[in-house]
């Protein structure tokens, strides 16, 4: 799910390369700050991360069996109804100085 999600928008993996890109650009005093965003409501996570649409795309492209997708969605729904839903992702704030 994570790989498919990241692969479906431009530069979905760029956070992993920002330090390298900043160094290659000749910047100095590079700082990296990871920012982890935690969501505990499926509706909010779905609105911000487009989880339902990602599942639809995966289903259309048949990367995962339909049974596994249904099981995943059922599990997410059960967690959400029980108040146990949790989703997190990390963004990176990177800065540097031009010499």
């Amino acid at each position: 799910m994570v790989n498919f999600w990241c692969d479906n928008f431009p530069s979905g993996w760029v956070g992993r390369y920002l330090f390298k890109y900043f160094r290659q650009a000749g910047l100095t005093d590079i700082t990296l700050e990871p920012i982890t965003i935690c969501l505990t409501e499926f509706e909010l996570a779905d609105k911000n991360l487009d989880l339902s649409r990602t599942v639809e795309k995966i289903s259309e492209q048949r990367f995962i069996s339909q049974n596994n997708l249904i099981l995943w969605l059922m599990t997410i729904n059960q967690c959400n109804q029980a108040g146990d839903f949790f989703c997190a992702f990390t963004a990176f704030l990177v800065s540097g100085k031009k010499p």
Side-chain angles (χ1 to χ4, degrees), residues 35-76:
I35 302 168
T36 300
I37 297 154
C38 300
L39 303 168
T40 58
E41 296 175 16
F42 176 76
E43 292 80 12
L44 185 58
D46 194 28
K47 185 176 182 178
N48 286 285
L49 303 175
D50 208 15
L51 299 176
S52 294
R53 181 65 190 132
T54 300
V55 168
E56 288 174 22
K57 287 180 183 179
I58 289 172
S59 178
E60 291 166 4
Q61 296 182 23
R62 300 176 193 227
F63 286 112
I64 299 173
S65 75
Q66 192 69 22
N67 287 341
N68 282 340
L69 286 174
I70 291 168
L71 180 60
W72 185 82
L73 287 170
M74 285 176 35
T75 302
I76 293 299

Side-chain angles (χ1 to χ4, degrees), residues 5-45:
W5 183 77
C6 286
D7 290 344
N8 275 278
F9 59 89
S11 303
W13 296 98
V14 72
R16 296 173 182 238
Y17 304 104
L18 289 175
F19 181 75
K20 174 183 172 182
Y21 293 159
F22 275 50
R23 282 182 42 103
Q24 288 176 342
L27 298 174
T28 61
D29 298 324
I30 300 168
T31 61
L32 298 113
E33 182 180 348
I35 302 168
T36 300
I37 297 154
C38 300
L39 303 168
T40 58
E41 296 175 16
F42 176 76
E43 292 80 12
L44 185 58

